[in-house]
Structure formats: C-alpha cells, structure tokens
Amino acid sequence: DHTRFVNCVRFSPDGNRFATASADGQIFIYDGKTGEKVCALGGGKAHDGGIYAISWSPDSCQLLSASGDKTAKIWDVGANSVVSTFNMGSNVLDQQLGCLWQKDHLLSLSLSGYINYLDKNNPDKPLRVIKGHSKSIQCLTVHKNGGKSYIYSGSNDGHINYWDSDTGENDGFSGKGHTNQVSRMAVDEMDQLVTCSMDDTVRYTNLSKRDYSGQDAVKMDVQPKCLAVGPGGYTVVLCIGQIVLMKDKKKCFAIDDLGYEPEAVAVHPGGGSVAVGGTDGNVRLYSIQGTSLKSDDKTLEAKGPVTDLAYSHDGAFLAVCDANKVVTVFSVPDGYAEHNVFYGHHAKIVCIAWSPDNEHFASGGMDMMVYVWTVSDPETRVKIPDAHRLHHVSGLAWLDEHTLVTTSHDASVKEWSISYN
C-alpha cells in the first residue's frame, strides 16, 4: 500500500491491529488477525516528511509517530485524529528518527542524537533533553568552575560536550565550533578550553561563556594532532611534522624539519620545559624562551613509539607510555633519570593521566584496560578490566585523588571511584 520504503511496523500490545509507517509520510492501520487495511491515519498523509518510527501506547488506543518533518505526533487510532503535535525545532538536526512509548514516558530521538522526553501538556517544550555524543569520543579534560567539577569531551564529528560531574547533566557549546574530529583538549590558566582539530584549527573557548567565537580559532599550516598548555599563556601544538609555539592565542614560533614525527606533548607545570614524544620511541626536551622554542639537545628513550606523556602536577615526574605496552617514568630533578618501568597492558597504551596526589597515575590501552599505578612501586596497581567493553579507552582525567574519568570510542564517559588498599 505504501509508495516508498516502509520504515517501521508495530503490532499493538493487544494484538488487534498493526501499524506501518513509511518514507511516503503515511501511516496505515491494519487488522492484526486478517491483515486487512483499516484506515490511513489523518486520511492521507500523516506527516509532511518521511516517518521513521511509530510506537503504540500501552493501552493500544494511541500511537506515537516520529518524522523527518521535525515533529512527533500522538494519534487517537479509533477516532483517526491527531491528539498532539510536538514541534521539535527548525534545524535539520531536529528531524525525528525514533520514538518510544514506555508506560507514562514518551521519548523521541532527534537526528542530533538528543533524546527528548515529550510533555503531553506542553508539546512545544520537552520535559528534558538528554544530550551527549553520538560519535566516538577522542579526548577529554576536567576543570573546576565555580566550585563545581566539569568534564569536557570532544568527539570525531567536532562536537564538544560538558558534563556536571555530580549530576551527569550535560550540554554542548553554543555557536559554530569545530567541523571535524577534536583530537586533543586542555584548560589553560585563563579558564579557556584549548582544542585542536582535524579542521586544521586551534580554538580557545571561554569556559564561563561556553560559546564559540570566530576570532578565537587559529588556523594552522598543517593538521594539528596534539597540544599542551603551560603557564604564561603558552600553548605548544604538535602538527604533522611540525611543532608550533603559541602565546596569548597567537602563533609565535614553529620548528619544521624535525627529522622525526612528533606524537605527544607535555609542558612542565613550572613552565619553561616542553617534552615531545615521537613515533621513533624518543622523547625530546625543549625550552620555551620568550617567543621561541629551543631544543635542549636531550633525548630520553621510551620502550617503543611514544603514544602519550604527562608531567606529574608537582613537576617531579614525567610518565611516558608507548606502543610496546610499557609506561616509563622519569625523575625530573635527577636530570630525567629513569625512575621506574611499568608493565601490565596487553596492547598498545594510548593515554596517561596523573592523579592530583602525584603518587599515582592511570594508563588506558587498546586492551580495554585501565591501570592505576603507584609511582614508587610498579607491583602495586589497581586494575579496571573491560573499562569500556565495546571499544578501547581514548582518554583519561582525574576529578580528584579518588575519582577517575575515562572515555572511549564507544561514545560514553565513565566516572570511577578508586581506592587503594
């Protein structure tokens, strides 16, 4: 009976009827036993756009429909009339792709990935909207703002979300932001979220306003893949084959012809020193001198291609993780002498983060594992197996000494309470 694809077929809970919804904008009701067509809801077209989903009410009397015309509707099936129309917005992303009538809850799913709790009494404003990532998360960071701890996460579609760590409430930034994968993020001392993306920009976003402003996007010559912030308004950005030093949101120095491919960067909390890890398995040290970056001609050896590195908050240690499943910790005051080596991961380690207590750090790997290590004793470790079951861990950050946040390409953010026995 439909003229285009049938997107959804649903039996009523009592089995007396079934409904079909199609890209032709029509909903047909059929007799559940004989399959005979009973009626077309609305007489002709039920929606102005294709209909992607339908869901019956528990009493089998009403039907919820979701359409590409950016509305959801409740139908009285017996009377063949519309009870309510929910206008979900005017943006392309407000198209409705899914719906569910579960007991007293009416839910619809927008193309943006948002889940809307519909309000029968006020069809123009959902009771609540659950927002989050619908694509794999690449990076995260945490920041205290007005006494509250927030988690910031960036995904491979350029979307950045922020989460209240206590309640889980979350939202995205307003305005037009990154147009491609957010690869790395950090918060600087001016309370700006500094992000680099595959759209070849580095952005500075004010965390009290949480609004993207055009002037604070700095274009890079080559694609950036990692960054670190330091005191004094400095940001060090690793681009493909290039290291760029930025001060106060402006590029001020670049080193090309590196002779190696830089992969990860960290700035010493005291400022001045920069550690850059390369795919050749070496960590090179640089000094920030005014508006330039100078090589210290000092190289530290990791056990494999460097994937991430981080200084402890007190600046005493530098932890380096690599593709050969090892974390090496160097002691900064001792001229970067090797302090300890940590084994345990079964696959490439991809991220590392220091606890605020400076005695523990966490590592996450392609083996879906997260380990929390004790600097002074490689044997003492807390193991989180299957931290993210569907995909490997892509980012780590500590909210406080006993709370670790992990994120993954499975598009979820998790908070863990860590205790040491």
Side-chain angles (χ1 to χ4, degrees):
D1 292 314
H2 287 288
T3 57
R4 296 187 64 194
F5 291 119
V6 180
N7 291 325
C8 192
V9 179
R10 291 286 181 267
F11 257 98
S12 59
D14 63 12
N16 289 335
R17 284 164 297 190
F18 66 88
T20 63
S22 160
D24 61 14
Q26 301 192 88
I27 297 173
F28 294 134
I29 304 294
Y30 296 87
D31 183 285
K33 293 189 178 67
T34 66
E36 277 180 52
K37 191 160 125 189
V38 177
C39 68
L41 285 187
K45 273 197 156 193
H47 281 273
D48 293 334
I51 301 165
Y52 291 105
I54 45 178
S55 185
W56 288 88
S57 60
D59 64 6
S60 300
C61 294
Q62 294 184 323
L63 189 73
L64 175 64
S65 59
S67 165
D69 67 6
K70 310 177 191 69
T71 68
K73 292 183 182 181
I74 295 177
W75 299 87
D76 181 320
V77 177
N80 193 354
S81 62
V82 175
V83 178
S84 304
T85 300
F86 303 91
N87 291 302
M88 304 308 293
S90 56
N91 192 306
V92 172
L93 294 175
D94 295 320
Q95 295 184 58
Q96 300 303 297
L97 304 190
C99 62
L100 175 68
W101 195 320
Q102 185 75 21
K103 295 187 178 167
D104 298 330
H105 300 290
L106 292 161
L107 291 94
S108 77
L109 177 69
S110 302
L111 177 57
S112 60
Y114 294 172
I115 299 171
N116 313 292
Y117 280 70
L118 305 176
D119 185 354
K120 279 189 201 169
N121 305 318
N122 182 7
D124 290 328
K125 190 173 189 303
L127 292 166
R128 64 184 285 218
V129 179
I130 297 181
K131 303 177 181 182
H133 291 285
S134 46
K135 297 284 190 294
S136 69
I137 302 175
Q138 301 291 329
C139 54
L140 93 158
T141 190
V142 297
H143 180 58
K144 278 195 171 52
N145 194 345
K148 277 188 156 178
S149 287
Y150 287 96
I151 300 161
Y152 297 88
S153 51
S155 57
N156 78 354
D157 55 357
H159 182 73
I160 293 175
N161 231 43
Y162 61 90
W163 314 74
D164 180 318
S165 68
D166 294 330
T167 65
E169 280 180 66
N170 65 86
D171 205 344
F173 291 175
S174 55
K176 185 128 179 58
H178 287 298
T179 55
N180 203 331
Q181 174 177 310
V182 185
S183 301
R184 197 67 171 222
M185 52 172 57
V187 179
D188 68 10
E189 57 189 6
M190 309 284 290
D191 289 347
Q192 299 175 112
L193 185 69
V194 189
T195 51
C196 68
S197 160
M198 282 186 175
D199 63 13
D200 296 353
T201 64
V202 171
R203 274 184 177 274
Y204 292 81
T205 310
N206 182 310
L207 285 186
S208 48
K209 295 195 184 128
R210 292 178 172 140
D211 182 17
Y212 295 115
S213 67
Q215 77 244 26
D216 290 342
V218 183
K219 186 94 175 74
M220 295 285 134
D221 299 329
V222 255
Q223 190 181 88
K225 53 185 179 180
C226 190
L227 59 75
V229 298
Y234 289 107
T235 305
V236 181
V237 185
L238 299 188
C239 299
I240 295 170
Q242 185 186 52
I243 304 174
V244 177
L245 178 67
M246 300 178 68
K247 182 167 168 49
D248 304 328
K249 306 188 202 174
K250 291 184 182 67
K251 289 190 271 191
C252 59
F253 195 78
I255 305 176
D256 302 292
D257 307 323
L258 291 169
Y260 69 98
E261 187 54 46
E263 193 64 34
V265 59
V267 179
H268 191 276
S273 291
V274 178
V276 177
T279 52
D280 61 355
N282 292 317
V283 177
R284 291 167 180 81
L285 299 174
Y286 296 85
S287 297
I288 297 174
Q289 297 173 3
T291 53
S292 64
L293 196 60
K294 298 272 191 288
S295 169
D296 290 354
D297 293 324
K298 188 170 177 62
T299 303
L300 316 172
E301 284 185 24
K303 311 295 183 224
V306 177
T307 51
D308 199 11
L309 42 77
Y311 280 103
S312 56
H313 301 280
D314 59 4
F317 297 107
L318 174 67
V320 180
C321 60
D322 62 50
N324 285 356
K325 315 186 278 275
V326 184
V327 182
T328 311
V329 173
F330 298 93
S331 171
V332 178
D334 302 320
Y336 287 90
E338 194 175 286
H339 178 75
N340 256 331
V341 185
F342 300 81
Y343 299 93
H345 280 284
H346 306 310
K348 178 174 162 180
I349 307 173
V350 290
C351 49
I352 199 154
W354 282 89
S355 162
D357 66 11
N358 296 310
E359 290 171 21
H360 301 92
F361 62 91
S363 61
M366 300 288 267
D367 51 7
M368 277 78 153
M369 301 280 254
V370 172
Y371 283 104
V372 179
W373 307 91
T374 306
V375 181
S376 54
D377 180 13
E379 300 306 312
T380 309
R381 62 186 188 195
V382 177
K383 181 174 166 182
I384 309 176
D386 281 344
H388 291 263
R389 286 220 170 91
L390 299 174
H391 228 299
H392 71 264
V393 182
S394 59
L396 301 164
W398 292 81
L399 282 167
D400 57 50
E401 296 185 1
H402 292 286
T403 316
L404 179 68
V405 184
T406 62
T407 188
S408 158
H409 289 191
D410 68 5
S412 71
V413 176
K414 295 188 182 185
E415 238 177 80
W416 307 84
S417 293
I418 309 287
S419 57
Y420 310 103
N421 302 337

